Amino acid sequence: MLTGHPLQKPPFTTAVRQALQGVNNSMIEADLLFLEAWEMHRSSHLGVTLRVSQIRRANPVLAAAIDAELKGARFEATGSTEAKHN
């Protein structure tokens, strides 16, 4: 018997989860999940970078929201106090 926490499935960010509400197009869903995955684990592969660039250009607000959400999660995970003193 396996115990522990169930694996979380995409989308991982609230921003993408909200963006996908009501989307009935598998290509759009794939693009947004691809963008989220890249933001979480960036790749320098040229083809991947070009695809992400196109998706980010088409969805600048979403890209910024994903980035901000992930940076906030990284900040909380490191327990940094740098920003808390401001």
Side-chain angles (χ1 to χ4, degrees), residues 15 35 39 56 59-71:
L35 173 61
E39 290 286 356
R56 287 176 64 91
N59 303 280
V61 174
L62 177 60
I66 294 169
D67 188 51
E69 190 173 337
L70 292 175
K71 282 181 180 174

Side-chain angles (χ1 to χ4, degrees), residues 26-37 51 55 59:
S26 61
M27 293 182 74
I28 292 172
E29 182 178 341
D31 281 350
L32 299 184
L33 292 172
F34 187 84
L35 173 61
E36 180 186 56
R51 181 174 179 206
I55 298 168
N59 303 280

Side-chain angles (χ1 to χ4, degrees), residues 14-85:
T14 302
V16 174
R17 202 172 299 120
Q18 290 174 348
L20 288 174
Q21 287 180 349
V23 171
N24 292 326
N25 183 314
S26 61
M27 293 182 74
I28 292 172
E29 182 178 341
D31 281 350
L32 299 184
L33 292 172
F34 187 84
L35 173 61
E36 180 186 56
W38 183 84
E39 290 286 356
M40 294 173 71
H41 307 284
R42 294 186 177 201
S43 167
S44 60
H45 186 272
L46 182 59
V48 171
T49 304
L50 288 173
R51 181 174 179 206
V52 166
S53 177
Q54 291 173 330
I55 298 168
R56 287 176 64 91
R57 247 182 278 132
N59 303 280
V61 174
L62 177 60
I66 294 169
D67 188 51
E69 190 173 337
L70 292 175
K71 282 181 180 174
R74 287 184 195 120
F75 176 80
E76 290 172 10
T78 61
S80 176
T81 58
E82 187 175 303
K84 293 179 184 175
H85 289 101

